[in-house]
C-alpha cells in the first residue's frame, strides 16, 4: 500500500510541477480569472445586477407605500456566479485535460509509462489529482473577493452555503477532467482531445433539456446523467446524496476507462 501511495505522489508531484511550469496553464488561468471577474462585477454591480434589482424593488415598494419584500441578494449572487463559473469551466477544463496523456503519446513516453512498475490506476489517479489541484489554485483567489462582498451582508452570509457551492464546482471539474483524461489517452493530438472532451461535456451539460423530450424511465435516466442538474443542486445549497454519487461515478468511470485504455495500448505494443 505504501508503494502505491508513493507512486501516486510521485506522479502527482511531477504533473503538478509541469502545470506550474507551463505557459499555457498560466494563460488558461488568466482567462479564467478575467472572465470570472467580469461575470462577478456584472452580476453584482451591473445594470441588471443583484444590487440594482434590490434597489428597484425597494423603490417600487416605497412608491406603492407597502413594505419591501425580503430579497436574499447574497444567495442569489452566489448561485448566479457559480452557474457562470460552471459555464466557463466547460470551455476551460478540456484545455487543461487535453495534454494529460496526448502529450505522452506525442513525446513517445507513454510506452515507458505503460510498461513501468507503476500501475495504470496509480498513474491516472496521480495525473487527475494534479490537474484538479491546479484548478483548485485557480478557484481559491475567487473566494477572496467574494469574502469581501459577503462580509458586508446583513444578516451574514452562511459560510457553509458558499463552501458547498464551491465544493460542487470542484466535483464538477474533477468529473470533466477525469473524462477528459480518458479521451486524451486515446489520441496523440491535444486539439482533438480538447474538442472531443468539450463535445462530451456539452452533451452531459445539456442532457437535462434533452431528457424532457422523453417520457417514462428513459427521460428520468437521461435527466439523472445531467451535470447541470446535479451541479445546480449544490450551488443552491442542497447537499443531495444522488448528486455526490453521480459526480463520484463520473470520476471513477474516467479513471477506469483511462486505465483500460493504457492497458490496451500496452497490449498493442507487446
Amino acid at each position: 500500500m505504501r508503494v502505491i501511495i508513493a507512486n501516486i505522489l510521485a506522479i502527482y508531484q511531477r504533473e503538478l510541477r509541469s502545470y506550474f511550469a507551463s505557459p499555457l496553464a498560466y494563460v488558461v488561468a488568466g482567462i479564467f480569472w478575467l472572465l470570472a471577474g467580469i461575470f462577478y462585477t456584472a452580476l453584482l454591480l451591473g445594470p441588471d445586477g443583484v444590487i440594482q434589482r434590490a434597489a428597484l424593488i425597494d423603490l417600487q415598494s416605497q412608491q406603492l407605500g407597502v413594505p419591501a419584500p425580503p430579497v436574499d441578494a447574497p444567495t442569489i449572487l452566489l448561485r448566479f456566479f457559480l452557474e457562470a463559473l460552471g459555464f466557463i469551466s466547460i470551455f476551460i477544463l478540456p484545455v487543461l485535460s487535453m495534454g494529460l496523456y496526448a502529450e505522452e503519446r506525442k513525446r513517445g513516453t507513454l510506452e515507458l509509462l505503460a510498461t513501468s512498475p507503476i500501475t495504470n490506476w496509480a498513474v491516472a489517479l496521480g495525473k487527475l489529482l494534479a490537474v484538479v489541484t491546479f484548478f483548485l489554485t485557480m478557484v481559491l483567489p475567487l473566494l477572496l473577493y467574494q469574502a469581501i462582498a459577503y462580509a458586508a451582508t446583513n444578516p451574514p452570509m452562511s459560510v457553509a452555503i458558499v463552501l458547498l457551492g464551491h465544493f460542487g464546482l470542484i466535483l464538477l471539474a474533477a468529473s470533466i477532467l477525469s473524462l477528459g483524461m480518458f479521451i486524451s489517452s486515446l489520441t496523440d493530438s491535444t486539439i482533438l482531445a480538447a474538442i472531443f472532451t468539450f463535445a462530451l461535456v456539452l452533451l452531459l451539460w445539456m442532457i437535462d433539456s434533452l431528457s424532457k423530450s422523453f417520457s417514462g424511465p428513459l427521460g428520468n435516466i437521461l435527466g439523472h446523467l445531467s451535470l447541470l442538474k446535479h451541479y445546480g443542486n449544490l450551488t443552491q445549497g442542497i447537499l443531495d446524496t444522488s448528486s455526490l454519487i453521480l459526480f463520484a461515478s463520473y470520476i471513477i468511470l474516467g479513471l477506469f476507462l483511462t486505465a483500460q485504455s493504457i492497458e490496451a495500448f500496452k497490449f498493442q505494443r507487446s
Side-chain angles (χ1 to χ4, degrees):
M1 188 65 181
R2 288 184 178 179
V3 174
I4 295 175
I5 294 176
N7 290 336
I8 293 173
L9 288 176
I11 297 295
Y12 169 78
Q13 292 171 355
R14 188 196 73 167
E15 292 293 321
L16 192 58
R17 282 195 299 267
S18 70
Y19 276 106
F20 284 103
S22 170
L24 177 62
Y26 285 102
V27 171
V28 170
I31 293 173
F32 180 76
W33 288 328
L34 175 63
L35 293 176
I38 291 173
F39 273 104
Y40 194 76
T41 303
L43 290 170
L44 181 63
L45 304 173
D48 294 323
V50 294
I51 292 180
Q52 291 297 326
R53 288 186 181 183
L56 180 61
I57 292 174
D58 186 61
L59 178 61
Q60 291 175 342
S61 299
Q62 291 179 7
Q63 292 174 344
L64 295 174
V66 296
V71 178
D72 192 357
T75 302
I76 295 173
L77 173 62
L78 175 65
R79 180 163 58 86
F80 285 170
F81 182 54
L82 287 172
E83 288 176 358
L85 289 181
F87 182 72
I88 296 171
S89 296
I90 69 174
F91 294 92
I92 294 293
L93 294 173
V95 179
L96 291 179
S97 67
M98 67 183 184
L100 286 171
Y101 277 95
E103 286 292 340
E104 302 277 4
R105 279 181 175 267
K106 186 183 298 185
R107 293 195 302 261
T109 57
L110 184 58
E111 186 171 357
L112 295 175
L113 198 62
T115 56
S116 68
I118 306 177
T119 63
N120 298 329
W121 272 94
V123 174
L125 183 57
K127 284 177 172 288
L128 179 62
L129 289 175
V131 69
V132 171
T133 300
F134 183 76
F135 181 75
L136 181 60
T137 64
M138 293 167 54
V139 173
L140 287 177
L142 306 184
L143 288 171
L144 179 60
Y145 57 72
Q146 290 182 75
I148 295 173
Y150 295 141
T153 61
N154 186 24
M157 179 70 173
S158 172
V159 176
I161 295 178
V162 176
L163 294 179
L164 179 60
H166 287 80
F167 176 63
L169 179 63
I170 299 302
L171 287 179
L172 173 69
S175 302
I176 295 174
L177 291 169
S178 185
L179 295 173
M181 180 173 63
F182 163 63
I183 295 176
S184 178
S185 71
L186 300 176
T187 177
D188 60 359
S189 171
T190 54
I191 301 300
L192 284 178
I195 292 173
F196 283 118
T197 301
F198 172 73
L200 175 61
V201 171
L202 187 61
L203 174 62
L204 294 175
W205 186 263
M206 301 300 297
I207 200 171
D208 186 45
S209 299
L210 296 175
S211 68
K212 297 175 182 178
S213 302
F214 301 92
S215 59
L218 179 59
N220 294 332
I221 292 173
L222 291 177
H224 185 70
L225 295 176
S226 170
L227 290 173
L228 175 61
K229 174 183 177 181
H230 293 282
Y231 177 59
N233 289 339
L234 295 174
T235 60
Q236 295 176 42
I238 303 173
L239 185 57
D240 188 0
T241 305
S242 63
S243 298
L244 299 179
I245 292 174
L246 179 88
F247 285 125
S249 299
Y250 278 130
I251 294 170
I252 294 172
L253 177 63
L255 288 169
F256 172 77
L257 292 177
T258 301
Q260 295 305 308
S261 173
I262 302 306
E263 187 66 28
F265 174 83
K266 182 168 62 175
F267 178 78
Q268 291 171 0
R269 291 296 180 178
S270 62

